[in-house]
Amino acid sequence: MRPDSPDMAAPEEPLRRRKVRETGPEPGSSPGPGRDPAGGPSHLRAGTFWLTRIVLLRALAFVYFVAFLVAFHQNKQLIGDRGLLPCKTYLKSVQRHFQGQIGWDTMSYTPTVLWLLDWSHMDSNLDALALLGLGISTFILVTGCANMVLMVALWVLYMSLVNVGQIWYSFGWESQLLETGFLGIFLCPLWTLSQLPRETPTSRIVLWGFRWLIFRIMLGAGLIKIRGDQCWQDLTCMDFHYETQPVPNPVAYFLHRSPWWVHRFETLSNHFLELVVPFFVFLGRRMCVLHGALQILFQVVLIISGNLSFLNWLTIVPSVACFDDATLGFLFPSGPGGLKDQVLKMQKEKARGAQPTLRYGCVVRQAVNLALGVLVAWLSIPVVLNLLSPKQVMNSSFNPLRIVNTYGAFGSITRERTEVILQGTASPNASAPDAVWEDYEFKCKPGDLRRRPCLISPYHHRLDWLMWFAAFQTYEQHEWVIHLAGKLLANDADTLSLLALNPFAGRAPPRWVRAEHYRYKFSRPGGLHAAEGKWWIRKRLGPYFPPLSLQDLRDYFRSREWPHPEPK
């Protein structure tokens, strides 16, 4: 008989069991951390949201960090003292509207702390707001904890920028970040800085505020598509989207050439995720978790296929509220004394009936959360009416604080991509046949046919996006384009920092600047143009605005209170 056979091993089993019992824990001793009384690993129970709050705060802090980083890098050039649309000029126009007074009416019309600061150094003010926001968001991102004071500061700082940002901050995700940030205030204790503030459990009202937000975001996006463009009903919109979206990335170049049936599947999936899945949030825990997982997966796909700023990253944030600690536990280590272990102990204490003493502060907090629920419900009335209306509008606010807003995206899809290409020449005669016109290149928007599309999400080049909108209309409808031309004529260093290539770097500024209108199309992968290194092919449509000189723009600038740029 073999020594390792079952027959030889069987007599040893009782002895092993006796040794285990003899060396096991003493009667009455508690099991080790992370293990149940039977000796097996313990699992987090469903229904608590301690870890959910940490993930929510870090995700929100990351988006805030990106938003303030964009503001720090671009605000001076866009809305600073010598920006393309100076916020000082805008604030003065609001002040004139209210008979020169800076009072409650003025501040409620344009809520911003800039009313309280010295306007003689607006660039410094803008930098201070952005840097303070960067500092606070970095702290929350690294530590995973925050209090109401810090979250209010982030919300006020960003609202102060959005409300003076004019067209540069007119995107729907600005209001979405403010609404998400407002809800984030109520996730936290008033003063305490702790990842697990035991006396301030995550409020279900606040969690449902986040779920209500993601429900409206997705349903609003789905309804605006069905009501907006016939191609969403014909399932043909994705035939054009990848090529005509604001700032395509390299993945979009290849996705654009997908077979027709792939584009049909993409459109059907979009309808399912935006019109059906949102209702899962109301159908119990499992369906709510499924809703969160599907929406996050959808946003990840959108991040991969396009440069939609921090919109998709921001949309992931309220989706996290669909998960409880049991669902998110895998994100945290299981070691003794860790966050997961601490939550497990709190769950066991609650299961044994050991509840913390209800203090006065807890009662006040419950009342505040209840008031939040009533406020969100009240402000949601016009939003719901808008969702039900056949004349639905998207990305709009019904109150100056942007606490509850309407959302939507790509209600219509353009079939052709047009671009405005800015050019300069050193020739004294702009109409001379031998005048050499040289192209300015932007950071991300298409220009040079051989330049690979950028991959920049979640960062946001605001000027590039506005150039995409300007190409749909005329320069009379986007006067800042003429201001941009004046800056280029002066070789303005601040403005040129927003561009990727200045053909007149190290030279005298151009004597003339003009804008040409082109139709752009992706080259075909493996085709003749792609073999030449071209990602794009283009065809000239005509002039966007005629050649301009600084002298031509002097009166134009004066009438709009823009500082006249001086050549450098």
Side-chain angles (χ1 to χ4, degrees):
M1 183 177 292
R2 291 168 50 193
D4 58 349
S5 67
D7 292 330
M8 290 293 291
E12 298 177 5
E13 290 299 318
L15 180 61
R16 289 199 187 104
R17 292 194 189 99
R18 284 197 300 273
K19 289 181 178 179
V20 169
R21 283 195 295 269
E22 290 169 1
T23 60
E26 297 180 1
S29 63
S30 61
R35 306 187 69 82
D36 63 18
S42 293
H43 298 285
L44 292 171
R45 297 176 176 87
T48 62
F49 299 89
W50 299 98
L51 302 180
T52 303
R53 169 164 49 193
I54 296 173
V55 177
L56 268 171
L57 286 175
R58 279 189 158 141
L60 180 55
F62 172 75
V63 178
Y64 264 131
F65 176 85
V66 173
F68 283 113
L69 184 66
V70 172
F72 180 67
H73 283 163
Q74 302 178 33
N75 272 355
K76 292 187 294 295
Q77 301 91 318
L78 299 176
I79 60 174
D81 289 316
R82 301 184 65 85
L84 295 175
L85 291 175
C87 64
K88 184 191 302 185
T89 304
Y90 172 73
L91 289 172
K92 286 181 178 178
S93 68
V94 174
Q95 188 177 0
R96 284 195 298 268
H97 178 74
F98 290 96
Q99 289 77 46
Q101 300 297 318
I102 300 179
W104 175 254
D105 291 339
T106 313
M107 300 183 72
S108 61
Y109 181 82
T110 306
T112 175
V113 298
L114 291 175
W115 289 117
L116 309 176
L117 303 180
D118 180 8
W119 293 0
S120 61
H121 301 285
M122 195 62 81
D123 285 355
S124 300
N125 295 337
L126 295 172
D127 278 351
L129 297 184
L131 287 173
L132 187 56
L134 277 172
I136 297 174
S137 58
T138 300
F139 171 80
I140 298 172
L141 180 60
V142 171
T143 64
C145 61
N147 56 32
M148 295 184 78
V149 176
L150 293 180
M151 297 304 293
V152 166
L154 284 176
W155 183 69
V156 170
L157 289 169
Y158 200 67
M159 180 175 60
S160 296
L161 297 177
V162 170
N163 286 328
V164 298
Q166 303 159 82
I167 193 172
W168 310 110
Y169 282 80
S170 61
F171 305 100
W173 52 79
E174 315 294 357
S175 296
Q176 186 176 326
L177 178 52
L178 288 175
E179 180 171 351
T180 309
F182 182 79
L183 291 172
I185 295 171
F186 299 89
L187 279 173
C188 310
L190 179 59
W191 298 108
T192 306
L193 282 174
S194 169
Q195 290 181 312
L196 299 174
R198 296 175 66 93
E199 296 182 0
T200 314
T202 309
S203 167
R204 299 298 181 94
I205 293 177
V206 179
L207 288 171
W208 274 105
F210 281 109
R211 295 173 184 176
W212 174 235
L213 171 59
I214 187 62
F215 172 82
R216 288 184 287 110
I217 291 171
M218 303 312 299
L219 185 62
L223 290 175
I224 202 69
K225 290 180 176 65
I226 291 297
R227 292 165 173 163
D229 198 320
Q230 184 63 36
C231 71
W232 288 112
Q233 299 181 36
D234 298 338
L235 308 183
T236 58
C237 276
M238 298 306 293
D239 295 348
F240 314 101
H241 168 72
Y242 293 116
E243 183 177 72
T244 62
Q245 64 179 305
V247 184
N249 68 11
V251 178
Y253 174 81
F254 297 100
L255 289 176
H256 178 64
R257 298 297 179 180
S258 300
W260 68 269
W261 56 269
V262 172
H263 291 319
R264 303 300 178 273
F265 173 76
E266 290 170 335
T267 312
L268 280 172
S269 300
N270 188 96
H271 291 331
F272 174 71
L273 289 163
E274 293 184 340
L275 294 171
V276 178
V277 171
F279 291 93
F280 289 6
V281 77
F282 304 111
L283 301 180
R285 177 180 177 270
R286 291 186 178 180
M287 294 300 287
C288 187
V289 169
L290 178 60
H291 167 272
L294 288 174
Q295 297 300 359
I296 291 176
L297 178 62
F298 183 35
Q299 299 308 313
V300 170
V301 170
L302 295 177
I303 289 169
I304 293 172
S305 63
N307 290 304
L308 298 177
S309 181
F310 50 79
L311 170 63
N312 306 120
W313 303 78
L314 175 60
T315 306
I316 288 174
V317 176
S319 300
V320 173
C322 296
F323 307 130
D324 56 17
D325 292 339
T327 311
L328 295 178
F330 74 96
L331 296 175
F332 297 82
S334 301
L339 290 171
K340 190 174 179 180
D341 186 52
Q342 294 179 52
V343 171
L344 181 63
K345 290 179 179 178
M346 287 191 288
Q347 289 182 340
K348 289 180 178 179
E349 290 174 3
K350 183 177 180 180
R352 292 196 301 266
Q355 297 289 344
T357 305
L358 192 62
R359 299 184 178 181
Y360 174 75
C362 297
V363 176
V364 173
R365 169 53 66 103
Q366 292 175 359
V368 169
N369 290 335
L370 182 60
L372 171 67
V374 173
L375 175 65
V376 171
W378 173 256
L379 295 178
S380 295
I381 294 175
V383 174
V384 172
L385 293 176
N386 178 68
L387 282 175
L388 299 175
S389 171
K391 297 180 180 180
Q392 176 192 358
V393 295
M394 64 180 188
N395 299 328
S396 298
S397 302
F398 297 99
N399 59 87
L401 297 181
R402 309 186 192 219
I403 296 175
V404 181
N405 313 289
T406 68
Y407 302 103
F410 296 106
S412 61
I413 298 292
T414 54
R415 307 311 194 262
E416 293 182 340
R417 180 179 200 91
T418 58
E419 292 289 346
V420 175
I421 304 299
L422 296 174
Q423 301 174 330
T425 182
S427 173
N429 185 358
S431 59
D434 60 346
V436 178
W437 291 93
E438 301 176 77
D439 291 0
Y440 289 88
E441 290 293 332
F442 287 75
K443 299 279 189 179
C444 259
K445 94 173 193 67
D448 182 359
L449 304 181
R450 288 181 170 81
R451 190 178 66 173
R452 177 181 62 82
C454 69
L455 185 61
I456 198 65
S457 175
Y459 196 78
H460 182 203
H461 290 298
R462 297 187 182 277
L463 180 59
D464 293 53
W465 270 73
L466 265 295
M467 289 297 294
W468 180 74
F469 283 106
F472 297 144
Q473 298 172 312
T474 66
Y475 70 88
E476 291 92 347
Q477 295 166 298
H478 297 270
E479 291 185 331
W480 58 266
V481 175
I482 304 301
H483 199 175
L484 175 60
K487 297 286 191 180
L488 300 182
L489 285 165
N491 260 359
D492 183 78
D494 286 342
T495 302
L496 287 167
S497 69
L498 298 176
L499 274 59
L501 174 65
N502 170 23
F504 296 90
R507 301 157 50 188
R511 296 190 179 188
W512 302 89
V513 165
R514 72 180 185 184
E516 295 287 283
H517 211 183
Y518 284 88
R519 178 185 296 116
Y520 271 65
K521 294 180 69 67
F522 276 139
S523 64
R524 183 175 296 277
L528 177 62
H529 295 95
E532 296 174 353
K534 295 180 179 178
W535 292 80
W536 299 94
I537 57 177
R538 73 183 185 183
K539 178 181 179 182
R540 183 177 182 273
L541 300 176
Y544 185 77
F545 63 73
L548 299 172
S549 68
L550 270 180
Q551 186 61 35
D552 296 332
L553 297 176
R554 190 173 299 276
D555 292 338
Y556 190 86
F557 278 37
R558 186 182 300 112
S559 66
R560 285 153 182 80
E561 299 182 26
W562 294 340
H564 191 270
E566 298 298 332
K568 299 177 182 178

